[in-house]
Amino acid sequence: MPDIPQGIATYPGVAATLSFTHGIAPSVAQLTIAPQTADPDEHGTLRFAFGDVAVEFPDCKVDHGTIDRGAGGEIGSLSILDRRWRWRFGTLSGTYNVRRDDASLQEGEDGSIDTERTPQQLATLCLEAMGESDFDVADLPNDTRPSVEWDGVVPAEALASLCDPLGCRVVLQFDNRVALRRVGIGAELPAGDKMQFSPTINPPERPDKIVVVGGPTRYQVDFPLEAVGLADGDAPEGDRLRPIDLLDYTPSGGWASSDPPYFHQVDVASRPLAQESVFKYYRIKMPVSVPGYEGPDDDTVERLEQIVPIEDEQVKTTSENGQLSNQPAVVFGVWHEGGFDPENTCAALEPLETQPDLGARSIYRRPYRIDLARGLVIFAEPVYRNGHVSGIGGTGYEIVLEPAQLVLRTACSVRNLQTLAMERYQRERATGASAGTLPHYVRHEELILAARPDYSASYSLTDVDDNRDQLDALADEILDAVELDYATTSPRTAQYPGLKIIEVDGAIQQVSLRVGGSGATTTISRNNELPRL
């Protein structure tokens, strides 16, 4: 019978199995030892050796040890973590690949802060923050630009969250180098004599479809406004808003000959309500056309609850102080500026160099605020329009006050009429399965569809621009990575005599080393991770 060399595992201070896997968690070696007269060193190099083959794991740490007393005497056991135990610590902060509300990337070309980083650059930041200096990130897909906001996160956890959606795993190699490897791609099982070989059938539970779901879609809308006022009563203010012609204190002759801001025609008890709200409160008028929205009634949204809270900025962007940002919401239309001229303000009286598509309407530049939750514009002073009748005495005008014709241009999201769930960008892909399963939904809130209408100089809708093509390209990269999880593989596990040194990668998921008095074995799993020994 040939002599079989003894397998040896050594550790400083002690006279062994290791299941080595990918990921950021440390692998654990279990050592069975004779009782020691002194405690082993807390940190050191773990070494497996068999014949002329040896592998070392530097910078390991003792996790815990026990002594079992039985009929056969005392036996010690020792658990040792590989050097990934250090990855539990550290901090990383940074915000990268910031996307504006139109989903464009803030790249710094317009004078803004450059936030663009490729996935490989982001991975490098993580690895350096983990204290690593020798690593390989070349396998990480590098075309997408994932938005990340790290605020004091553990760098290793940030790295894992970056790699997983891109179909990669973090690998600590036997040469002590860190690598990122594509799932399912890697070495084959080594050739040579096998003590055991276990091919496995393990088809994935594959859905019929994979769907990427983005954040709430943003639509730029021109909301027509109607004049409302505060009604008498004790109801909450939101329930007290009424069109001004339906208020309990509306003068018998209407508001045509009223005298804002005093409203002497209103009874004394209700006059403060009129002075506070009439011709000052303008509310979004429903239903409204939302360009780019595709609902049960085309682009028509019926209820105010479907679009509030609105936003205070447009989808449209502009360069200001060297930075590209969304334009603020704007109110425009036709109203009377005050004074002796009976004509209402229109485009002929004010150049529209910043909003050239408003037609014969003017931007309102006096103070107001937008109540986003109620879809309400509240002006600091009464805003109305002159409806005038000419020919009095052949020379004059009869002034008739009418509500201003106002429009609020801003952005909003749209809720489903029945469920009030937000409408969101979606991109789906069939997997080839036909089991009748429900789709697998993958959420990516940073993918926001932004729709912006284009108008002609005469203020007629000509087109609706959006960023769907850009989002589709990003979503396709995400779908590519998710599909890897559903790829049909051929899981295989083989056990070899002696020590076989093969790197863990995207296909080789686990290498288990066992040494002892009876020799050594190596168990290697491809596309199959066994329970850790």
Side-chain angles (χ1 to χ4, degrees):
M1 180 176 178
D3 292 335
I4 299 177
Q6 182 178 6
I8 300 173
T10 64
Y11 186 78
V14 300
T17 62
L18 172 65
S19 294
F20 201 66
T21 64
H22 58 206
I24 62 172
S27 293
V28 183
Q30 299 289 347
L31 276 67
T32 301
I33 60 175
Q36 307 294 305
T37 58
D39 291 338
D41 293 346
E42 183 177 354
H43 304 102
T45 297
L46 175 65
R47 185 174 186 269
F48 280 73
F50 182 73
D52 59 356
V53 179
V55 59
E56 293 186 345
F57 302 90
D59 203 21
C60 291
K61 177 188 181 301
V62 171
D63 188 28
H64 67 273
T66 60
I67 299 293
D68 294 326
R69 293 181 175 87
E74 294 184 342
I75 297 177
S77 64
L78 196 64
S79 296
I80 297 178
L81 306 177
D82 73 32
R83 72 178 185 84
R84 282 173 285 187
W85 68 270
R86 291 183 175 274
W87 293 358
R88 298 172 182 171
F89 310 112
T91 186
L92 179 63
S93 297
T95 301
Y96 302 103
N97 295 322
V98 174
R99 296 191 179 276
R100 304 182 180 90
D101 288 333
D102 64 354
S104 63
L105 196 64
Q106 185 174 310
E107 300 171 293
E109 295 179 355
D110 54 0
S112 61
I113 297 174
D114 182 9
T115 68
E116 183 182 15
R117 299 293 187 277
T118 68
Q120 293 179 13
Q121 289 173 329
L122 294 173
T124 298
L125 291 175
C126 293
L127 287 160
E128 290 175 345
M130 292 158 58
E132 301 295 329
S133 58
D134 188 11
F135 46 80
D136 178 9
V137 299
D139 282 357
L140 189 66
N142 211 36
D143 293 333
T144 186
R145 296 294 182 269
S147 297
V148 298
E149 186 171 356
W150 296 324
D151 186 8
V153 299
V154 176
E157 294 177 359
L159 179 62
S161 65
L162 173 70
C163 292
D164 285 349
L166 296 175
C168 281
R169 298 292 182 265
V170 182
V171 172
L172 177 60
Q173 301 180 149
F174 282 120
D175 63 3
N176 204 37
R177 193 174 186 226
V178 180
L180 307 182
R181 296 293 184 238
R182 296 293 298 271
V183 174
I185 299 175
E188 296 291 335
L189 291 177
D193 295 336
K194 300 179 179 67
M195 299 171 61
Q196 294 181 9
F197 179 61
S198 302
T200 306
I201 298 175
N202 185 24
E205 293 76 28
R206 184 185 305 163
D208 290 2
K209 290 181 181 179
I210 306 170
V211 182
V212 173
V213 181
T217 299
R218 298 181 69 246
Y219 302 93
Q220 181 170 301
V221 185
D222 283 2
F223 292 105
L225 301 176
E226 62 176 342
V228 295
L230 290 172
D232 288 321
D234 298 327
E237 184 173 316
D239 297 332
R240 293 167 55 201
L241 293 174
R242 305 281 189 274
I244 60 174
D245 290 336
L246 301 180
L247 295 168
D248 295 337
Y249 53 82
T250 299
S252 57
W255 301 99
S257 58
S258 61
D259 58 342
Y262 307 107
F263 296 108
H264 292 112
Q265 299 88 343
V266 178
D267 64 84
V268 174
S270 300
R271 192 173 298 161
L273 293 174
Q275 293 172 344
E276 178 182 352
S277 62
V278 173
F279 293 139
K280 290 184 178 179
Y281 281 25
Y282 282 80
R283 182 177 60 186
I284 291 173
K285 187 177 182 179
M286 304 300 291
V288 67
S289 174
V290 178
Y293 171 65
E294 297 178 0
D297 298 315
D298 297 324
D299 66 355
T300 299
V301 174
E302 297 287 341
R303 302 288 296 274
L304 186 61
E305 294 92 333
Q306 291 181 258
I307 52 95
V308 292
I310 58 174
E311 301 183 30
D312 58 1
E313 61 184 20
Q314 305 176 43
V315 172
K316 189 175 183 180
T317 57
T318 187
S319 180
E320 185 174 347
N321 296 325
Q323 296 194 19
L324 191 66
S325 59
N326 292 91
Q327 291 190 7
V330 63
V331 173
F332 61 91
V334 179
W335 73 95
H336 185 243
E337 284 192 306
F340 296 105
D341 188 346
E343 294 295 328
N344 296 308
T345 297
C346 64
L349 302 179
E350 180 184 0
L352 299 179
E353 67 281 353
T354 60
Q355 305 280 344
D357 56 359
L358 302 183
R361 293 158 175 81
S362 297
I363 298 174
Y364 189 89
R365 301 189 186 278
R366 295 176 181 177
Y368 63 88
R369 65 182 178 89
I370 303 174
D371 186 327
L372 306 178
R374 292 185 294 170
L376 190 67
V377 180
I378 301 175
F379 295 90
E381 59 186 41
V383 184
Y384 50 85
R385 181 170 57 95
N386 275 347
H388 48 80
V389 180
S390 61
I392 300 176
T395 58
Y397 290 90
E398 178 184 359
I399 302 299
V400 178
L401 299 188
E402 299 176 356
Q405 295 176 342
L406 298 176
V407 176
L408 170 64
R409 175 173 289 180
T410 192
C412 73
S413 296
V414 177
R415 298 177 182 270
N416 181 278
L417 182 59
Q418 280 72 43
T419 66
L420 292 185
M422 290 288 192
E423 298 290 337
R424 295 171 178 268
Y425 165 82
Q426 293 192 11
R427 177 79 163 173
E428 69 178 40
R429 178 183 294 178
T431 64
S434 56
T437 66
L438 296 174
H440 173 198
Y441 289 92
V442 184
R443 295 290 293 270
H444 278 266
E445 293 290 327
E446 75 276 10
L447 300 184
I448 298 175
L449 182 66
R452 181 178 65 82
D454 289 331
Y455 297 95
S456 68
S458 60
Y459 191 58
S460 61
L461 181 64
T462 59
D463 196 10
V464 179
D465 293 330
D466 62 40
N467 58 328
R468 185 176 296 276
D469 289 345
Q470 180 184 3
L471 295 185
D472 286 349
L474 295 172
D476 285 343
E477 294 174 357
I478 295 168
L479 290 167
D480 289 343
V482 175
E483 273 198 307
L484 291 175
D485 292 334
Y486 295 112
T488 300
T489 59
S490 299
R492 300 190 299 277
T493 299
Q495 187 179 69
Y496 300 84
L499 294 183
K500 291 276 188 182
I501 305 305
I502 182 173
E503 296 291 359
V504 175
D505 55 28
I508 302 297
Q509 296 188 10
Q510 182 170 297
V511 178
S512 297
L513 308 177
R514 182 186 292 272
V515 297
S518 59
T521 61
T522 302
T523 302
I524 303 174
S525 298
R526 189 178 195 277
N527 291 322
N528 186 29
E529 186 170 341
L530 299 178
R532 296 192 182 192
L533 300 174

